[in-house]
Amino acid sequence: MAVPSRYMSLDATNLDAIRQGPGYPPGAFRPASEAAVESEECTGRNSLEEYAEYFDQQLRTQTIPFWYSKLDKEDGGYDLDKDGKHIVAQSRLLWLFSFTHLKGFNAEGIDSLAAAAEAFAFLATKMRDPINGGYYWSVDKQGNVQDDRKMMYGQSFAIYAFTTYFKASGNPKAKELAMELFQTLVDKAQDTTTGLGGWFDHFTADWKVITGDVDIPIVEPGLKTQNFNMHFMESLTDLLLITGHPEVRRILAQVVDKDVRVFYPADPNEIESHMNFDGEFVGRVDLYAHALESAWLRIEAEAALGRSLDWGNYDRYMRTMIEKAIDPESGGIFDAEELVWWAQAEVVSGVAVDKAFRNGSEYEDVLLRLLRFVECDIVDPKDGIWWWSVNSDGSIRNPQKFGKWKAGFHDIRGMVKFVKAYL
């Protein structure tokens, strides 16, 4: 598909030209709630195919318009948090609009590629550190640097956002920025001092490892984390698919075989969340939804590497999650002690990957019950957005719908994968 030239620009000053395109009709930025349907008593649906149709319509009529309404037309980027604009949220929204455009999910009157171009311009011009490399943790509403530190979790999502935007738009600058950031991480973030290998997670602006009693925005300094390594595997998988670069292949293989395996070994009962620089695991929590996420992301990484797919690992992790994390009352999945939105979404993604890659059906009954819980208790029917978390009886535990940690990623990814697998 030919991409309009206005979407190829990196210049944030060119956003007015972008906004004159077909994705910006009058009134396009009205709050999604203004067009929301009235809530009706929820009875659930009878099949996965019916849920695929439900999510397909929800994406097009509610979900995409909701996130689109968060565009900051004055200063650029997306306005989700009163404390500023953060690398994770901005990257996820670039990914969201790129991914939905790429997969053919279009909302009436909204051009997802234009929405992605907004996020791309802001991320690349306001959040990129032109001196030290990498991307700042946060900037203020106008794009002035607030927190110039480099957190690997955020860097990983920036790579993933750029690769997905490249696939959606064909913009060569997106691929260039993805490879630039990859090389920066290879040069600056690998652990060559402790003897453990792998990666450090937290850095100053000029890439000095953060340790000691310092306040940082994610986890604690002096720890390596499963969460970064898992999402780094995801971003490198996509980077390999668009570049075929041998160094990307080598690093992805390392991350799959060693760095992720440190936290997610063959035995799912031995998963760990954090490791200190002495190689000791600390602060373990029951991360069965994260573990399943790592298992299905591993399948996609192995496919990109051209390997045989480790379905034994996937099945062990899925069955352990079903045994230990399902809430018998609701059918939802606990993350630690919380029925949180993203954990439900990882089951949706996991079963969709099983269906797409091997036409699997073993876990579909579990998924159908979970989707009834999602529809009736997690999704707000007024706007189609998933509550942060609920209790077993369906009452809302945390009503947050958006913010620096909740920016349309896990649920969108799950819904799109599910619709593509079952519709």
Side-chain angles (χ1 to χ4, degrees):
M1 181 188 68
V3 178
S5 60
R6 62 181 179 276
Y7 301 139
M8 307 294 282
S9 174
L10 181 65
D11 184 359
T13 64
N14 193 45
L15 292 181
D16 286 341
I18 293 173
R19 290 168 181 155
Q20 291 171 8
Y24 295 85
F29 298 94
R30 68 189 187 281
S33 59
E34 292 182 10
V37 298
E38 293 297 323
S39 175
E40 298 178 355
E41 182 179 356
C42 182
T43 58
R45 296 164 202 267
N46 296 318
S47 70
L48 295 180
E49 290 73 21
E50 288 181 38
Y51 271 110
E53 294 176 353
Y54 162 71
F55 282 132
D56 181 65
Q57 288 303 304
Q58 188 180 92
L59 283 162
R60 299 175 194 276
T61 63
Q62 292 185 298
T63 313
I64 293 173
F66 176 89
W67 293 110
Y68 200 50
S69 73
K70 303 304 176 186
L71 175 67
D72 185 345
K73 294 175 66 177
E74 181 179 353
D75 296 307
Y78 286 81
D79 201 355
L80 300 178
D81 194 291
K82 61 182 177 59
D83 296 328
K85 295 170 180 174
H86 298 75
I87 182 65
V88 175
Q90 300 303 312
S91 296
R92 285 177 170 177
L93 285 166
L94 172 54
W95 171 88
L96 183 160
F97 291 113
S98 300
F99 190 62
T100 53
H101 175 82
L102 184 66
K103 298 298 182 179
F105 291 87
N106 300 301
E108 184 177 354
I110 292 176
D111 187 331
S112 288
L113 194 58
E118 294 272 3
F120 177 64
F122 189 86
L123 191 63
T125 62
K126 299 295 187 180
M127 303 200 76
R128 177 175 173 267
D129 183 342
I131 298 173
N132 298 299
Y135 289 75
Y136 307 122
W137 179 255
S138 68
V139 298
D140 67 14
K141 186 178 185 299
Q142 290 74 37
N144 302 303
V145 179
Q146 284 187 154
D147 188 337
D148 62 4
R149 292 174 293 181
K150 312 293 168 54
M151 307 295 154
M152 289 289 277
Y153 187 83
Q155 307 301 311
S156 176
F157 272 102
I159 291 177
Y160 194 28
F162 289 144
T163 60
T164 310
Y165 183 60
F166 171 75
K167 291 193 292 187
S169 70
N171 189 338
K173 189 65 178 180
K175 182 162 70 170
E176 176 187 326
L177 290 177
M179 280 301 297
E180 175 190 77
L181 180 52
F182 166 76
Q183 193 58 57
T184 297
L185 301 186
V186 170
D187 293 342
K188 304 288 188 180
Q190 292 193 83
D191 177 2
T192 60
T193 60
T194 68
L196 299 172
W199 311 82
F200 294 115
D201 278 53
H202 314 109
F203 297 87
T204 62
D206 58 352
W207 295 98
K208 293 181 176 65
V209 178
I210 297 175
T211 59
D213 187 15
V214 180
D215 182 37
I216 59 173
I218 181 170
V219 196
E220 296 178 12
L223 295 179
K224 300 184 175 193
T225 68
Q226 54 80 26
N227 211 3
F228 154 66
N229 281 281
M230 176 178 64
H231 286 296
F232 197 35
M233 176 171 64
E234 181 174 26
S235 65
L236 293 179
T237 296
D238 224 36
L239 186 60
L240 179 60
L241 290 174
I242 69 167
T243 66
H245 198 286
E247 182 68 356
V248 176
R249 178 179 295 276
R250 182 184 73 81
I251 294 295
L252 175 58
Q254 170 193 310
V255 171
V256 170
D257 295 337
K258 182 176 184 294
D259 302 337
V260 171
R261 267 300 190 217
V262 167
F263 299 100
Y264 294 114
D267 185 349
N269 294 298
E270 297 178 358
I271 59 176
E272 298 286 351
S273 52
H274 308 101
M275 183 173 66
N276 64 26
F277 294 170
D278 293 323
E280 300 167 334
F281 293 113
V282 296
R284 185 185 188 279
V285 294
D286 291 332
L287 295 171
Y288 296 112
H290 263 142
L292 175 62
E293 185 180 13
S294 78
W296 72 256
L297 286 172
R298 183 183 184 89
I299 293 292
E300 294 190 335
E302 289 167 337
L305 289 166
R307 298 178 174 182
S308 60
L309 308 184
D310 190 354
W311 288 109
N313 179 77
Y314 171 93
D315 287 329
R316 287 191 300 273
Y317 273 66
M318 174 67 88
R319 291 165 187 167
T320 300
M321 186 209 67
I322 291 171
E323 176 188 354
K324 297 191 173 184
I326 284 185
D327 174 25
E329 182 175 347
S330 68
I333 300 296
F334 281 109
D335 172 63
E337 298 179 353
E338 192 174 19
L339 290 165
V340 65
W341 97 96
W342 68 260
Q344 321 312 311
E346 292 314 321
V347 182
V348 179
S349 290
V351 176
V353 167
D354 188 20
K355 179 72 170 180
F357 276 85
R358 63 173 180 176
N359 198 29
S361 59
E362 178 179 346
Y363 311 111
E364 291 183 339
D365 288 345
V366 171
L367 179 60
L368 182 57
R369 186 176 181 218
L370 179 137
L371 289 179
R372 289 172 179 149
F373 166 66
V374 168
E375 179 188 7
C376 295
D377 295 324
I378 291 281
V379 175
D380 183 350
K382 292 180 180 178
D383 53 24
I385 302 303
W386 300 25
W387 302 112
W388 184 286
S389 63
V390 300
N391 299 308
S392 295
D393 63 1
S395 59
I396 298 169
R397 178 169 178 165
N398 183 337
Q400 184 179 0
K401 290 183 177 179
F402 62 90
K404 60 180 174 243
W405 293 113
K406 194 174 190 297
F409 178 66
H410 296 277
D411 43 348
I412 304 294
R413 185 177 59 173
M415 287 191 285
V416 170
K417 285 180 177 291
F418 176 72
V419 171
K420 287 296 185 181
Y422 282 92
L423 195 59

